[in-house]
Amino acid sequence: MTLGRVVIVVPTYNEAENLAWIVTRVRRVLPRADVLVVDDDSPDGTGRIADELAASDPQVQVVHRTAKEGLGAAYLHGFRVALERGYDVIGEMDADGSHQPEQLPRLLAALEDADLVLGSRWVPGGSVVNWPLARRALSRGGNLYTRLLLGIPVRDATGGFRLFRRTTLEKIDLSSVRSVGYCFQADLAWRTVEAGLRVREVPIQFVERTRGESKMSPDVAVESLRRITTWGLRERRRQASDVLSKVTPRRNRK
Ligand SMILES: Nc1nc2c(ncn2[C@@H]2O[C@H](COP(=O)(O)OP(=O)(O)O)[C@@H](O)[C@H]2O)c(=O)[nH]1
Ligand SMILES: [Mg+2]
């Protein structure tokens, strides 16, 4: 593998029914990749299951966090550990079966000439299975809003099935990321584009979970809306002042 050592970070909160199923599939399809589970002290015992998986397979590791602090916070913690442990490729994937491990080799192949690969539901060939209309609309609307406000040329900036090169995470200043919920995904995609790095979208089939519950909540949606609006307005102001500084002769500027 020319890309080096790969780890797939899997955040979990109450995924006891799903975790072993997903980890086994990742290990089968990418035998050389490691898995790092980041559990937020799930009350349903997911952390214990993760420990059992790690005990029987040296390529499975676990980070235990003490409280549920959101997907973004869990990923930041997982990324920090993955970087410390020297991985060259650091992936994101849900534990609930929505992201299919069997599609990872295609994502990995695309990373050969990219710095970030996004598994994308909203490019030709991508799809969503079993989502009600409202959830579909939320994702499409959220992505349209993100694209327009931030001006990033990406169809699915909010998905969480992706692969970063280590060098990408090193360049985008993770220490300044404040997004705790799902807007974390848009935040990182935007930072990568802004850093001038190569982002590629690869179509994926996203399958709604059949076991356990979604942690998507109104709070999470509101955080995304609020932050993306703030970033977008800041971006527009910056563009406006760039344009002004070009059209206004220096001596006339106050
Ligand atoms: N560690 C951690 N994992 C989380 C948190 N919120 C969601 N997850 C995990 O993130 C993944 C996606 O969450 P999910 O509830 O399926 O969101 P949805 O697919 O957008 O409905 C799953 O593996 C969840 O267990 C959190 O606060 N902490
Ligand atoms: Mg899900």
Side-chain angles (χ1 to χ4, degrees), residues 179-247:
S179 312
V180 292
Y182 292 22
C183 62
F184 173 80
Q185 306 295 9
D187 194 343
L188 265 60
W190 186 38
R191 283 165 185 261
T192 305
V193 171
E194 287 284 286
L197 299 173
R198 300 163 301 169
V199 179
R200 276 187 68 181
E201 286 188 277
V202 170
I204 57 155
Q205 183 192 53
F206 178 101
V207 185
E208 181 51 340
R209 63 162 77 236
T210 53
R211 293 178 290 201
E213 275 165 26
S214 169
K215 281 95 216 172
M216 176 57 125
S217 69
D219 280 1
V220 164
V222 168
E223 187 211 6
S224 295
L225 189 64
R226 199 169 49 75
R227 286 196 193 269
I228 289 169
T229 305
T230 310
W231 299 332
L233 294 179
R234 202 183 298 151
E235 186 64 9
R236 290 291 93 85
R237 254 199 314 274
R238 194 174 61 80
Q239 283 169 356
S241 72
D242 281 358
V243 170
L244 275 180
S245 68
K246 283 192 193 105
V247 298

Side-chain angles (χ1 to χ4, degrees), residues 5-27:
R5 291 175 63 220
V6 179
V7 66
I8 307 298
V9 181
V10 181
T12 53
Y13 192 75
N14 286 350
E15 301 290 359
E17 294 168 281
N18 291 314
L19 185 62
W21 175 55
I22 284 304
V23 170
T24 316
R25 284 166 63 192
V26 175
R27 294 282 299 110

Side-chain angles (χ1 to χ4, degrees), residues 1 22 25 43 46 50 57 88 100 146 155 172 190 194 196 211 219:
M1 227 186 267
I22 284 304
R25 284 166 63 192
T46 302
D57 181 348
D88 304 293
Q100 303 177 63
T146 305
R155 294 276 142 182
I172 60 176
W190 186 38
E194 287 284 286
R211 293 178 290 201
D219 280 1

